[in-house]
């Protein structure tokens, strides 16, 4: 689903569609497999439910697991979707997924600067 792109990101292609919730979500099975493949180090018991940090265009946001979302799909709330160039969803879109170190850095930044960005952005 994702391949190494740079020192900070993986690159993938997902269908992006609107979601009436308040946070970005993807299928629970997809979320867990991406978490396991890209964020775990294989040592000891690890959580596989950490939010993934993705980027579309210039916007970072956490992605959570949710049942009922189609496979290979990223469902975005209107507050995030309206800040993209996607005008006729669902649309197949290149999506960047922050590598573990980069994701941790982005989450720390958001924690230290609450309110930075819009639409739940990290």
């Amino acid at each position: 689903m994702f391949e190494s792109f740079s020192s900070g990101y993986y690159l993938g292609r997902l269908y992006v569609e609107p979601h009436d919730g308040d946070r970005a979500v993807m299928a629970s099975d997809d979320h867990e497999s991406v978490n396991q493949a890209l964020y775990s180090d294989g040592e000891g018991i690890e959580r596989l439910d950490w939010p993934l940090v993705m980027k579309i265009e210039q916007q970072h946001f956490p992605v959570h697991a949710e049942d009922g979302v189609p496979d290979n799909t990223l469902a975005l709330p209107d507050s995030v979707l309206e800040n993209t160039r996607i005008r006729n969803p669902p649309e197949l879109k290149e999506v960047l997924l922050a590598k573990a170190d980069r994701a941790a850095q982005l989450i720390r930044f958001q924690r230290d600067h609450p309110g930075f960005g819009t639409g739940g952005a990290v």
Side-chain angles (χ1 to χ4, degrees):
M1 185 180 295
F2 288 90
E3 61 185 45
S4 189
F5 175 72
S6 69
S7 62
Y9 294 93
Y10 299 100
L11 176 66
R13 291 175 60 89
L14 296 172
Y15 285 97
V16 178
E17 67 179 29
H19 174 59
D20 59 2
D22 60 349
R23 60 188 189 170
V25 295
M26 67 188 304
S28 296
D29 289 343
D30 286 349
H31 188 276
E32 184 175 320
S33 66
V34 169
N35 233 309
Q36 185 171 21
L38 304 179
Y39 283 5
S40 70
D41 62 13
E43 294 183 21
I45 298 173
E46 297 178 308
R47 289 183 58 179
L48 299 177
D49 62 345
W50 295 111
L52 304 172
V53 177
M54 293 191 184
K55 179 180 179 182
I56 293 181
E57 297 163 9
Q58 301 302 314
Q59 190 173 199
H60 287 90
F61 46 86
V63 178
H64 301 270
E66 185 168 298
D67 294 331
V69 178
D71 291 341
N72 299 315
T73 298
L74 176 61
L76 299 178
D78 289 338
S79 60
V80 176
L81 192 59
E82 68 189 15
N83 291 319
T84 70
R85 288 183 231 132
I86 298 170
R87 297 294 171 243
N88 192 22
E91 182 177 311
L92 189 60
K93 187 82 173 159
E94 289 184 342
V95 176
L96 293 174
L97 169 66
K99 291 184 176 179
D101 291 348
R102 179 73 172 139
Q105 179 186 40
L106 290 164
I107 290 169
R108 275 193 313 272
F109 182 83
Q110 178 63 29
R111 185 180 58 236
D112 294 343
H113 302 87
F116 182 82
T118 61
V122 168

